[in-house]
């Protein structure tokens, strides 16, 4: 659950689409369908979250002796 109302979510998605200058969803009779840009954003977001989790894990393992630049 996102703990956000449907109108608030719709507004946030429209703002994101406006900021990106591209639609993320096709509005169809049965709801929404991701556009190619939406699919790409989803894939890139999942990748970024995985990398963030790895960085978090590494920083917890190495404490103060580790820096994010070492992972690059």
């Amino acid at each position: 659950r996102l703990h956000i109302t449907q109108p608030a979510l719709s507004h946030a998605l429209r703002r994101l689409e406006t900021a990106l200058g591209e639609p993320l969803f096709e509005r169809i009779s049965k709801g929404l369908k991701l556009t190619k840009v939406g699919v790409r954003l989803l894939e890139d977001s999942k990748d970024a979250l995985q990398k963030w989790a790895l960085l978090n894990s590494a920083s917890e393992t190495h404490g103060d002796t580790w820096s994010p630049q070492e992972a690059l």
Side-chain angles (χ1 to χ4, degrees), residues 30-59:
K30 294 182 181 181
L32 299 174
K33 177 183 173 187
L34 284 173
T35 62
K36 288 181 183 181
V37 172
V39 169
R40 176 67 191 268
L41 179 63
L42 178 61
E43 291 169 353
D44 289 350
S45 297
K46 286 180 179 181
D47 185 50
L49 288 172
Q50 284 179 325
K51 288 177 181 174
W52 180 255
L54 287 172
L55 287 170
N56 252 354
S57 176
S59 68

Side-chain angles (χ1 to χ4, degrees), residues 10-72:
S10 293
H11 182 69
L13 289 173
R14 273 191 238 105
R15 283 192 352 244
L16 180 57
E17 289 176 324
T18 299
L20 293 172
E22 296 280 347
L24 299 174
F25 299 94
E26 289 179 44
R27 277 115 179 124
I28 58 176
S29 61
K30 294 182 181 181
L32 299 174
K33 177 183 173 187
L34 284 173
T35 62
K36 288 181 183 181
V37 172
V39 169
R40 176 67 191 268
L41 179 63
L42 178 61
E43 291 169 353
D44 289 350
S45 297
K46 286 180 179 181
D47 185 50
L49 288 172
Q50 284 179 325
K51 288 177 181 174
W52 180 255
L54 287 172
L55 287 170
N56 252 354
S57 176
S59 68
E60 289 173 4
T61 301
H62 298 288
D64 292 337
T65 63
W66 180 87
S67 72
Q69 286 78 16
E70 292 176 33
L72 302 174

